Amino acid sequence: MPALFNFEVHTPRRVFYSGKVQAIIIGLDDGEIGIYANHAPFSAHSVTGTLRIKDEGGNWRTAFVCGGILEVKEHKNVLMVESADCPEEINIEHVLESKKQAEETLKETNLRFEINKAKKRLHHAECRLKVLETAKKK
């Protein structure tokens, strides 16, 4: 049986995930990384996107996470993020509307602040859609 390690995902509002896992895969500033038991300790900024968790039973779970900090330690690995959603929590209609509004804003505005805000909303919507698409394939 593969070695397990403790992993937790915290948001400001809740503990999103807590349990023993075989592996996690998450995006960092310089690319994706896979973490397995006995990984060398480090801390890094995680990017908004997909978090994949291989649970105790070897099943892969996918979630949307919004930027944060990953701490890999000998006794526990913790991901602290702004928000996290599993596929069941993502409202497809809301995501599609948010994506549409962001695209419209990008076409209509020249204000840098509004452009940056719309790009962020668009990216979040696209990442949530990717999580939903991945969940459908299972």
Side-chain angles (χ1 to χ4, degrees):
M1 179 172 182
L4 302 175
F5 62 95
N6 295 314
F7 180 62
E8 295 178 359
V9 180
H10 294 265
T11 75
R13 294 189 183 108
R14 64 182 172 152
V15 176
F16 175 75
Y17 184 90
S18 180
K20 293 196 178 289
V21 299
Q22 293 182 23
I24 62 168
I25 298 174
I26 189 162
L28 304 179
D29 284 335
D30 55 354
E32 267 191 346
I33 187 169
I35 307 292
Y36 295 86
N38 303 315
H39 194 286
F42 76 97
S43 294
H45 177 261
S46 66
V47 297
T48 296
T50 303
L51 166 66
R52 290 179 284 169
I53 301 170
K54 190 171 188 180
D55 65 21
E56 279 185 270
N59 301 308
W60 283 100
R61 299 176 182 202
T62 304
F64 166 80
V65 291
C66 183
I69 301 291
L70 174 65
E71 291 184 351
V72 175
K73 299 179 180 179
E74 288 181 31
H75 64 286
K76 179 169 56 173
N77 300 294
V78 178
L79 177 63
M80 295 168 284
V81 293
E82 293 175 32
S83 66
D85 298 306
C86 57
E88 304 82 46
E89 297 172 324
I90 298 173
N91 181 325
I92 185 77
E93 291 83 17
H94 182 264
V95 172
L96 292 173
E97 181 61 28
S98 180
K99 182 178 184 225
K100 179 181 170 187
Q101 289 176 359
E103 290 170 339
E104 288 173 2
T105 299
L106 288 171
K107 289 178 187 174
E108 297 170 0
T109 190
N110 292 325
L111 300 172
R112 183 176 295 156
F113 173 77
E114 290 295 326
I115 290 170
N116 290 342
K117 191 173 163 184
K119 283 181 179 179
K120 183 176 179 179
R121 281 194 355 245
L122 180 61
H123 179 65
H124 286 206
E126 289 171 342
C127 289
R128 282 184 170 97
L129 290 171
K130 183 179 177 183
V131 166
L132 287 172
E133 183 180 310
T134 302
K136 280 184 183 179
K137 291 179 182 178
K138 293 182 179 181

